[in-house]
């Protein structure tokens, strides 16, 4: 299968994201990726692992919440959301909502990796047989409707484009009308946001 992702779009994008949106002191996590990948039943993209190791889970650009494995809040936990979103989507499709065209191949699947606070949009990886994790497409499902939007880039590149204001995503254009420009290049880690009881 031909590569659908631009070569070199992943790791370099994470380096650039770290440059323009530095992780706060103490952010980032060491994760037992083998155990996480066993639980999910699949390998994860290297750029996503680098994001979690550099930042941990938390919010980019005032609204885009990076899911992380092992988050104490299930809403923002990668593994918990993988199971929950699969159930939610199955129910919607059983009720007659149309699947995105990208899932026409019955063997394709979705894994959520980010959530947009407020709007409820969910960002997934489009997982296809024979396609390496580094080549997965980012696909967004709008939070309050049936529309989907695909971007053939790794998650690190997608995040960089949102933070830098260069995204072509309909759902992230005109961010300055919604998010304070200073907030766009700030990352807030889960430890700062989620109250642990």
């Amino acid at each position: 299968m031909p590569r659908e992702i631009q070569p070199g779009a992943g790791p370099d994008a994470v380096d650039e994201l770290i440059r323009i949106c530095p992780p706060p002191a103490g952010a980032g996590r060491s994760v037992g990726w083998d155990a996480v990948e066993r639980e999910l039943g699949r390998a994860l993209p290297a750029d996503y692992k680098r994001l979690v190791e550099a930042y941990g889970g938390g919010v980019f650009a005032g609204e885009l919440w990076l899911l992380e494995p092992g988050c104490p809040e299930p809403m923002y936990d990668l593994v918990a959301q993988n199971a929950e979103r699969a159930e939610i989507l199955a129910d919607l499709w059983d009720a007659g909502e149309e699947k995105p065209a990208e899932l026409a191949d019955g063997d394709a699947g979705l894994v959520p990796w980010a959530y947009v606070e407020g709007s409820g949009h969910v960002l997934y990886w489009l997982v296809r047989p024979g396609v390496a994790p580094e080549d997965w497409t980012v696909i967004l499902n709008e939070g309050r409707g049936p529309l989907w939007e695909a971007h053939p880039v790794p998650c690190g590149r997608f995040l960089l484009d949102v933070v830098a204001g260069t995204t072509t995503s309909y759902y992230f254009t005109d961010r300055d009308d919604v998010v304070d420009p200073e907030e766009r290049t700030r990352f807030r880690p889960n430890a700062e946001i989620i109250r642990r009881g």
Side-chain angles (χ1 to χ4, degrees):
M1 179 173 252
R3 285 182 61 89
E4 62 182 38
I5 306 258
Q6 302 159 9
D12 295 339
V14 174
D15 291 341
E16 181 65 10
L17 182 63
I18 289 169
R19 188 185 69 74
I20 67 169
C21 181
R29 291 211 26 239
S30 178
V31 174
W33 291 112
D34 289 343
V36 172
E37 291 173 334
R38 269 193 309 277
E39 194 167 355
L40 289 172
R42 66 184 81 248
L44 291 168
D47 68 330
Y48 170 75
K49 293 176 187 180
R50 284 199 56 220
L51 286 166
V52 171
E53 290 166 359
Y55 292 95
V59 179
F60 286 91
E63 62 182 351
L64 207 161
W65 207 306
L66 180 67
L67 303 179
E68 68 175 325
C71 181
E73 172 54 55
M75 180 70 185
Y76 309 112
D77 178 81
L78 178 76
V79 176
Q81 280 305 299
N82 185 56
E84 184 175 318
R85 296 308 310 172
E87 187 176 311
I88 289 169
L89 290 174
D91 288 347
L92 287 171
W93 295 332
D94 286 346
E97 187 170 300
E98 192 172 326
K99 285 184 180 182
E102 291 81 3
L103 291 179
D105 173 359
D107 293 330
L110 299 169
V111 175
W113 62 272
Y115 170 80
V116 181
E117 197 69 31
S119 67
H121 306 325
V122 179
L123 291 148
Y124 296 89
W125 289 294
L126 177 63
V127 180
R128 295 183 187 138
V131 177
E134 279 60 49
D135 296 334
W136 290 348
T137 290
V138 168
I139 184 168
L140 179 147
N141 179 216
E142 67 176 349
R144 294 176 179 85
L147 300 181
W148 293 78
E149 179 185 79
H151 296 270
V153 296
C155 64
R157 170 56 61 187
F158 187 90
L159 268 176
L160 172 62
D161 289 343
V162 169
V163 169
T166 58
T167 184
T168 59
S169 171
Y170 169 79
Y171 297 96
F172 291 98
T173 55
D174 301 326
R175 292 290 75 193
D176 289 341
D177 295 340
V178 179
V179 176
D180 185 310
E182 289 181 19
E183 189 75 8
R184 186 190 320 197
T185 56
R186 180 173 179 233
F187 174 80
R188 294 182 61 216
N190 283 339
E192 181 182 314
I193 304 167
I194 298 173
R195 294 180 190 255
R196 294 182 167 99

